[in-house]
Amino acid sequence: MCGIWALFGSDECLSVQCLSAMKIAHRGPDAFRFENVNGFTNCCFGFHRLAVVDQLYGMQPIRVKKFPYLWLCYNGEIYNFKQLQKQFGFEYQTLVDGEVILHLYNRGGIEQTASMLDGVFAFILLDTANRKVFLARDTYGVRPLFKVLTDDGFLGVCSEAKGLINLKHSTSLCSKVEPFLPGHYEVLDLKPSGKVTSVELVKFHSCKDEPLHAACDTVETLPSGFDLETVKSNIRILFENAVRKRLMAHRRIGCLLSGGLDSSLVAAVLLKLMKEININYPLQTFAIGMENSPDLLAARKVAAHIGSEHHEVIFNCEEGIQAIEEVIFSLETYDITTIRASIGMYLVSKYIRKKTDSVVIFSGEGSDELTQGYIYFHKAPSPEEAAEESERLLKELYLFDVLRADRTTAAHGLELRVPFLDHRFTSYYLSLPAELRIPKNGIEKYLLRQAFEDSNLLPKEILWRPKEAFSDGIASVKKSWFSILQDYIDQQVDDLLLEKAAEKYPFNPPKTKESYYYRQIFEKHYSGRSNWLPHYWMPRWVKATDPSARTLKHYKSSAQE
């Protein structure tokens, strides 16, 4: 996990512009480099490093003797760099996994490069010999990337939008800062003046398609057919493989553990594999909640069952409320459910950074979208519509859960790893018949639970624990976290302000005092940039006025039982 930043064709002094690069210093607390591009005095790279692999040669932009005309700034982890080296006979100069991007590009161009990378990534690749700039981002946008391109060809690129919004430019304000789309690469021509023009934006991978890199995966061809035992076995094999490949690190590995199905499965498989490869330190797991919250109690059970070194972070209402503004600043969004869920994750990440030496943090993001874990999936009109909704949620992860997971951990210099969003695992799960993937017997994620039923990885009551949204599970059963927030905000926002909300904020107008309060803070830091969030996250097929699972009838009836 690092922070990348680059400018092409800047009219302003670069030493002034580079102050913007410092806005993302939290992403790379270990080192910083600012480098001009030879022959292009108005082009430069900025890089904040979190050293996870190759402590010696890991600084960026990466340049190697074999390709003196290539410059690479990337944020991510490429899990198959060794397999690609073996397959194509690449001669690496460093131990940095991202070096493979240079070799792939030299061998087959940008399309093959992006398609063959098994991992999470956002990168800027400059080819001065052919005067090209390339941008690319992984399938689910696990690693963030933003860009601004003015009409006269000034390009700014950064891991977070906050590194671009204050850039200076002669002809126009840099107002059109926007997220770079996941699963895409862009080709830009670099003019002698250092300015660029966009040539094409190409979608290189869709979540349903088996990735091109599957051909050189460590897991061979899986048995075909949709009989239940085959499917369950394939799910276990691919999920275990997803966790195994993510063990690549020279820094200590830890795991977030809410006690829900997803994080518990990740923690259990992770600990099992760490033992297999003789990692000689205990796995640290981290849970957060208020006193006696459901998540704390469930996480305690899981930690005891798997034998992790467990840490509990207990916070109170005041601490949570005090964190709201810094959380919104980190997130760069005003989405209601994202902010609610981020507060706990932000506070637990802060604890990990201050009190432990774990840096590479595993988490369960992506499972709810992939395996139909949200409670509203019980109301899907048909298996086919549920499958379509699952794909929509995966495509929008970069706006919601993946955004939350990246920013809350990156704010404290941690690197997040999310095995549920492994390309091969997700494409296989989405290839299964729609009726296999829907909730059954009133239980969501039924197929995933079934797949691990006989593994003894988790206690039965955890494996079959009903869905509890992270922002709800951290509070007590009697009073949800969202109710605590609403009670506080009710005193902060006047009724008259809410009545006039649509006039003040015509795009995505706030409908509640809570959303108005978040929007005010967002506009304070990112005025006029409400289009970064196309719409609020809300459940479908139910007449929901609030995104919390605890407001849904299915949740209430389950809780009463």
Side-chain angles (χ1 to χ4, degrees):
M1 199 281 303
C2 302
I4 60 175
W5 182 88
L7 299 185
F8 298 90
S10 174
D11 293 338
E12 296 291 323
C13 171
L14 290 178
S15 57
V16 173
Q17 299 280 49
C18 92
L19 292 173
S20 284
M22 302 317 289
K23 294 280 175 70
I24 58 159
H26 51 272
R27 297 190 69 89
D30 295 333
F32 172 67
R33 178 184 282 175
F34 182 72
E35 191 166 332
N36 286 36
V37 178
N38 308 345
F40 295 90
T41 53
N42 57 358
C43 301
C44 62
F45 288 93
F47 178 67
H48 295 276
R49 184 174 189 216
L50 178 70
V52 173
V53 294
D54 197 347
Q55 313 281 348
L56 190 57
Y57 296 109
M59 274 309 279
Q60 296 186 33
I62 296 174
R63 304 184 68 205
V64 295
K65 283 177 187 167
K66 197 172 181 183
F67 315 119
Y69 48 89
L70 296 183
W71 306 60
L72 172 69
C73 228
Y74 91 107
N75 168 210
E77 300 81 50
I78 310 303
Y79 304 120
N80 64 342
F81 76 109
K82 286 183 177 167
Q83 288 97 293
L84 291 169
Q85 180 184 30
K86 204 170 162 184
Q87 181 163 340
F88 298 124
F90 296 150
E91 290 176 17
Y92 293 155
Q93 232 177 273
T94 71
L95 300 174
V96 180
D97 49 287
E99 188 190 327
V100 71
I101 294 168
L102 301 175
H103 295 268
L104 279 172
Y105 169 72
N106 179 67
R107 183 186 179 277
I110 189 65
E111 173 121 33
Q112 189 194 55
T113 302
S115 304
M116 288 299 286
L117 298 174
D118 182 7
V120 293
F121 56 86
F123 69 74
I124 307 152
L125 176 62
L126 168 64
D127 178 346
T128 53
N130 294 295
R131 294 234 176 103
K132 298 281 185 198
V133 177
F134 303 96
L135 310 177
R137 191 176 180 192
D138 67 74
T139 305
Y140 297 110
V142 174
R143 291 292 174 260
L145 194 65
F146 286 81
K147 72 166 209 182
V148 60
L149 179 59
T150 64
D151 293 340
D152 67 335
F154 168 52
L155 173 70
V157 189
C158 189
S159 295
E160 297 181 21
K162 55 181 72 67
L164 299 174
I165 56 173
N166 295 318
L167 289 174
K168 306 281 185 287
H169 192 61
S170 57
T171 59
S172 63
L173 290 168
C174 292
S175 55
K176 195 79 169 85
V177 175
E178 55 192 5
F180 189 82
L181 286 174
H184 286 69
Y185 67 80
E186 185 170 12
V187 182
L188 302 108
D189 280 336
L190 178 68
K191 298 172 184 171
S193 64
K195 307 274 189 194
V196 302
T197 50
S198 180
V199 177
E200 59 176 346
L201 178 68
V202 178
K203 185 174 186 177
F204 67 86
H205 186 232
S206 190
C207 52
K208 278 180 83 172
D209 302 334
E210 183 171 70
L212 199 61
H213 58 68
C216 59
D217 198 355
T218 46
V219 169
E220 301 298 317
T221 311
L222 294 164
S224 57
F226 297 130
D227 66 279
L228 192 57
E229 290 312 309
T230 300
V231 167
K232 282 159 55 178
S233 169
N234 288 348
I235 288 171
R236 287 193 302 274
I237 289 166
L238 287 175
F239 184 67
E240 197 165 294
N241 187 48
V243 176
R244 184 183 288 108
K245 66 177 80 161
R246 282 163 176 78
L247 289 170
M248 181 181 91
H250 294 165
R251 301 287 286 273
R252 184 167 185 163
I253 292 168
C255 188
L256 298 181
L257 180 59
S258 71
L261 174 68
D262 310 327
S263 63
S264 300
L265 267 181
V266 171
V269 172
L270 176 58
L271 196 132
K272 173 182 170 243
L273 295 175
M274 283 170 71
K275 281 180 182 168
E276 280 179 19
I277 61 169
N278 297 318
I279 287 179
N280 61 1
Y281 55 78
L283 173 67
Q284 293 180 328
T285 50
F286 304 95
I288 185 164
M290 295 179 176
E291 285 285 3
N292 293 322
S293 66
D295 278 6
L296 282 183
L297 302 174
R300 216 173 282 163
K301 269 184 200 166
V302 177
H305 183 85
I306 66 174
S308 63
E309 180 194 300
H310 192 54
H311 296 241
E312 289 185 351
V313 182
I314 294 166
F315 77 104
N316 58 34
C317 305
E318 291 71 34
E319 288 169 309
I321 286 161
Q322 274 173 5
I324 293 172
E325 180 152 357
E326 54 195 271
V327 165
I328 291 172
F329 176 72
S330 292
L331 292 175
E332 305 173 334
T333 189
Y334 52 93
D335 179 62
I336 304 159
T337 193
T338 304
I339 293 165
R340 287 176 187 170
S342 294
I343 292 166
M345 201 160 178
Y346 184 87
L347 293 173
V348 77
S349 298
K350 193 176 191 176
Y351 169 90
I352 295 168
R353 186 72 197 175
K354 280 187 173 175
K355 307 280 189 186
T356 78
D357 58 346
S358 286
V359 173
V360 175
I361 307 297
F362 280 68
S363 189
E365 271 70 33
S367 175
D368 284 326
E369 291 76 8
L370 176 68
T371 66
Q372 303 185 14
Y374 293 115
I375 285 170
Y376 72 85
F377 273 98
H378 291 281
K379 301 289 184 189
S382 68
E384 290 68 34
E385 283 186 64
E388 279 173 30
E389 173 67 356
S390 184
E391 284 170 47
R392 182 188 73 83
L393 289 169
L394 285 165
K395 283 173 192 160
E396 292 190 347
L397 265 172
Y398 76 105
L399 297 167
F400 301 109
D401 277 26
V402 150
L403 179 148
R404 162 180 58 77
D406 173 81
R407 298 309 190 285
T408 54
T409 49
H412 302 290
L414 303 176
E415 177 174 297
L416 192 81
R417 300 210 172 161
V418 282
F420 275 109
L421 291 176
D422 181 78
H423 299 162
R424 243 190 119 188
F425 181 70
T426 53
S427 65
Y428 176 74
Y429 207 96
L430 294 172
S431 75
L432 299 172
E435 59 275 10
L436 263 186
R437 293 181 271 147
I438 55 170
K440 285 190 177 64
N441 306 333
I443 299 169
E444 62 287 335
K445 293 189 266 206
Y446 195 85
L447 177 61
L448 182 66
R449 297 174 199 271
Q450 260 192 318
F452 288 94
E453 192 168 27
D454 301 321
S455 65
N456 197 36
L457 280 169
L458 294 172
K460 284 277 190 282
E461 67 269 27
I462 298 294
L463 188 65
W464 294 95
R465 183 189 175 199
K467 168 70 182 161
E468 176 80 87
F470 179 55
S471 58
D472 297 328
I474 59 172
S476 72
V477 178
K478 288 175 188 166
K479 191 157 190 180
S480 286
W481 174 228
F482 79 90
S483 303
I484 293 164
L485 284 168
Q486 287 170 348
D487 288 352
Y488 166 76
I489 290 165
D490 208 38
Q491 308 303 310
Q492 312 301 311
V493 177
D494 191 77
D495 292 349
L496 194 63
L497 285 174
L498 187 61
E499 276 174 37
K500 298 189 172 178
E503 291 171 38
K504 190 171 183 182
Y505 305 122
F507 183 77
N508 279 340
K511 299 280 196 331
T512 65
K513 287 187 176 184
E514 185 186 7
S515 61
Y516 189 95
Y517 184 73
Y518 298 156
R519 183 64 170 271
Q520 269 187 319
I521 296 171
F522 174 84
E523 294 288 344
K524 176 181 161 185
H525 295 288
Y526 307 110
S527 178
R529 301 179 193 275
S530 57
N531 63 323
W532 289 347
L533 177 71
H535 61 87
Y536 292 105
W537 193 100
M538 275 287 179
R540 292 189 68 193
W541 309 306
V542 288
K543 288 175 182 167
T545 53
D546 190 283
S548 170
R550 285 196 182 179
T551 62
L552 303 181
K553 275 182 187 169
H554 182 90
Y555 178 88
K556 287 173 182 170
S557 61
S558 303
Q560 281 153 9
E561 286 162 25

